[in-house]
Every structure is written in structure tokens, then in C-alpha cells.
Amino acid sequence: MMSPTHTATGVVLAAPLLAVAPEFAVAGALAGIVGGVFPDLDLFVGEHRRTLHFPVYYWFLVLPAAVVAAASPSTVTVAVALFALSAAVHSVVDWFGAGPEPRPWADPSEQAVYLHFGNRWLTPKRWVRYDGAPEDLLLTGALSVPGLLLFDGSVRTLTVVGLVVGAGYTLVRKRVPDYVEI
Ligand SMILES: [Zn+2]
């Protein structure tokens, strides 16, 4: 899935805070956005979908972070929990799309996300055919609703930016491999 889908997911994950601890909702949503982007930094360092994608191990961070945040809620503890949760969900959700190859629609790989826990690659589910597919943008749109309606200020602005970037990326997606070496 493309980054705007992951960042919108981060905001969705933080939305329940509006009900239980509204004073930390914005910090949680911003941390969810950062956590949604974080695993894909392995596009630039190490091996994409492997170095910073942990479909299992992030959850070992999520559980204690959630307990600490619940026991002692603060901007920092809530942000750490949401960051970890968003990165964990990102790593699992990439499994439901295609692999990291430049042209998943023409030259599909069998490697979606690396499962460090089992020392093997998870096979792509392709429920979303490739990152930047029309259904990926649809997902970004649906997941952006809480960011647009329930939040304001920086979270809403970043949600709009995500939608614009996602729409632009979807438009040019199939031409990207002609210009960028992934
Ligand atoms: Zn990813």
C-alpha cells in the first residue's frame, strides 16, 4: 500500500483517543502518521520491506507501550504507543498488497514483507493489486474520513496533503518505473 494509505491508517488508529483521552488525540494521530511512514524508510536504507518492516516484532513493542500509555498517559507515552501500533499495522497491511517490485502489475514478485520471525518472505495477498492502484486510493479516501471530520488543525491538514499526494501518485503510478530506479 502507498504511504498515504498508511498515514491515514495511523490517524484512524488514534481516533478512539478522541473518546477516551481527547487531550492526547492530536499527539497520537501525529505519531500514528509518523509510524505509518517509518517502515518505508527502508526504501532508502537496507532492504525495502525487510529492514524496517516487522509484521510480528513490532507487536512486542506495541503491547508494553500500550500498557505504559494506559497506566501513565502522557503525550510521550501515547505517542510512542501510537507510533508502534501504526508501524506494526503498516507491516502487516503490506502483506495484503503486492510486492515491492517496480511493476507489480506486469512482473509480480512473491515477496510482500519479510517475516523475521520465520526467516522467510510472506507471499503477497494482492487484495490491493499494487501500491497506487485505484483501490489503494479508494482505501486512502475511506481511511481519511476521521482525519478530515474528527480532527482539525495539523492532523486535518496532513490528511488533505496525504489525499493530494495519493491521488497524484495514483495518476502517475504506472509511469513511475520509467523514471525512477526502485
Ligand atoms: Zn511498507
Side-chain angles (χ1 to χ4, degrees):
M1 257 60 89
M2 58 180 168
S3 281
T5 303
H6 293 302
T7 54
T9 303
V11 175
V12 170
L13 294 170
L17 287 170
L18 289 165
V20 292
E23 65 274 34
F24 302 123
V26 170
L30 294 175
I33 290 171
V34 177
V37 171
F38 181 74
D40 281 343
L41 294 181
D42 65 14
L43 270 165
F44 311 106
V45 274
E47 189 178 354
H48 185 37
R49 300 279 186 94
R50 178 170 180 163
T51 306
L52 293 175
H53 286 67
F54 300 99
V56 173
Y57 290 147
Y58 275 132
W59 295 100
F60 292 116
L61 193 62
V62 172
L63 289 177
V67 170
V68 170
S72 167
S74 74
T75 305
V76 172
T77 58
V78 169
V80 169
L82 260 300
F83 172 87
L85 179 62
S86 187
V89 170
H90 173 143
S91 301
V92 174
V93 162
D94 274 348
W95 179 27
F96 304 147
E101 63 280 6
R103 295 177 178 82
W105 54 89
D107 183 21
S109 87
E110 291 307 306
Q111 300 180 339
V113 184
Y114 193 74
L115 188 66
H116 300 262
F117 190 68
N119 293 321
R120 64 184 175 90
W121 287 88
L122 291 168
T123 310
K125 297 273 186 204
R126 296 195 179 87
W127 296 339
V128 167
R129 291 167 299 152
Y130 55 90
D131 61 293
E135 62 267 30
D136 199 2
L137 182 60
L138 210 64
L139 214 52
T140 307
L143 293 165
S144 294
V145 172
L148 293 175
L149 299 184
L150 303 179
F151 289 89
D152 52 17
S154 53
V155 178
R156 184 183 283 167
T157 304
L158 287 169
T159 302
V160 171
V161 169
L163 277 168
V164 171
V165 169
Y169 183 67
T170 302
L171 271 177
V172 300
R173 174 64 181 97
K174 289 204 166 176
R175 271 172 285 162
V176 167
D178 298 337
Y179 299 100
V180 185
E181 198 60 47
I182 302 178

